[in-house]
Amino acid sequence: QVQLVESGGGLVQAGDSLRLSCAASGRTLSSYAMGWFRQAPGKEREFVASIKWNGDTTHYADYVKGRFTISRDNAKNTVYLQMNSLKFEDTAVYYCAGRTGSLYSAPNLWDNWGQGTQVTVSS
C-alpha cells in the first residue's frame, strides 16, 4: 500500500490558480497510475484527471479540460494538479488516488486514497 497526502488547497477567487500536490510514501510512486478526484457537498466523488505511471498518458474530465493539468515527478514521489481559471463550481474536496495498472475514471476502481484537501472558489 502507498500512503498519499494532499496539500495546496485553499480559498481563492474565480479566475485564480492553485497547484495541488500529492506526496506518496511507503511505496515508490512509479509503481502506480495516479488520479485526482473531487467531491462537492451533497454530490458523489467524481473524476478529474489521471496520469499513467510514466507520465506519457493523461486523461481529463471534460469539465476541467484545458484548465487543469496533471503531472508527476517520480523522483520526488509527488503528483501535481495545476488548476487555472478556477470556477465557483470547482469548489470541492480534492483527493489523489493511486492504483496499479490501467487508468480508469470510476472512483471505485482506485485502491489507495489520500485524506483530501479543500478547494474553495469564491465567485
Side-chain angles (χ1 to χ4, degrees):
Q1 292 281 346
V2 61
Q3 288 76 50
L4 303 172
V5 178
E6 302 93 336
S7 62
L11 172 63
V12 297
Q13 294 185 333
D16 285 352
S17 298
L18 272 179
R19 188 176 81 155
L20 305 183
S21 299
C22 173
S25 62
R27 296 284 297 272
T28 177
L29 197 64
S30 60
S31 300
Y32 294 85
M34 297 299 296
W36 285 96
F37 295 79
R38 68 188 186 186
Q39 187 166 17
K43 295 187 176 182
E44 294 188 351
R45 193 168 298 188
E46 63 181 11
F47 170 75
V48 174
S50 61
I51 187 167
K52 192 178 173 182
W53 70 272
N54 61 359
D56 71 354
T57 302
T58 58
H59 295 302
Y60 295 93
D62 287 344
Y63 36 82
V64 305
K65 200 172 292 183
R67 299 188 298 121
F68 290 11
T69 302
I70 188 172
S71 62
R72 65 191 299 159
D73 186 339
N74 287 341
K76 294 184 178 180
N77 253 17
T78 304
V79 177
Y80 305 97
L81 184 68
Q82 177 67 43
M83 305 186 295
N84 298 330
S85 302
L86 282 161
K87 303 176 181 180
F88 174 76
E89 50 265 39
D90 293 320
T91 296
V93 177
Y94 283 72
Y95 299 89
C96 71
R99 72 182 311 279
T100 54
S102 302
L103 302 178
Y104 292 99
S105 60
N108 64 311
L109 295 178
W110 293 75
D111 307 306
N112 303 277
W113 292 88
Q115 83 292 345
T117 185
Q118 176 71 46
V119 172
T120 303
V121 184
S122 62
S123 57

